[in-house]
Amino acid sequence: AEDFINTKSGFYSPFDTNAFAEDFVFRGPVIGPLNKADYISTMDTFKVYKAYPDISPNAFGFSVDPMDARRVWFFVRNTGTNTGKFGLGYGLEAPPSGNAVIGV
């Protein structure tokens, strides 16, 4: 799970479409559910890893769901500095702010 987050998810690095199951669904506290195509399109729009080239998830507390072995729960405390452009969609980009993010 940690390798996927760091190197294939599309958030902390470019996505690897082969790492996603065809029935993949992203569910977040505010966003979702997103199927594989919608998730990849969203990650391709924002390109967070380019906006924050030093971003780190600082992931911890990994646990396989006892009711669904294909689901992994974990926490992240993102850190990074906004030194790149942030994709907004429709070809629009926000310029770098130089602000640091420190997750709590």
Side-chain angles (χ1 to χ4, degrees):
E2 192 165 9
D3 179 56
F4 172 80
I5 294 165
N6 291 325
T7 65
K8 299 176 176 122
S9 70
F11 194 89
Y12 302 101
S13 66
F15 54 82
D16 176 356
T17 56
N18 296 322
F20 293 83
E22 289 306 314
D23 62 349
F24 170 85
V25 176
F26 174 84
R27 289 182 177 87
V30 178
I31 299 170
L34 298 175
N35 64 23
K36 178 180 177 177
D38 292 340
Y39 176 84
I40 288 173
S41 175
T42 301
M43 294 297 102
D44 197 40
T45 297
F46 294 131
K47 293 184 174 78
V48 174
Y49 62 92
K50 286 187 175 183
Y52 295 83
D54 63 342
I55 193 167
S56 177
N58 304 301
F60 66 98
F62 290 89
S63 178
V64 176
D65 189 317
M67 302 293 285
D68 182 354
R70 295 178 57 199
R71 179 180 282 184
V72 177
W73 297 93
F74 59 94
F75 301 92
V76 295
R77 288 198 174 124
N78 294 323
T79 57
T81 308
N82 180 213
T83 58
K85 296 177 182 175
F86 189 79
L88 301 173
Y90 303 104
L92 301 174
E93 295 178 319
S97 67
N99 292 337
V101 173
I102 302 172
V104 291

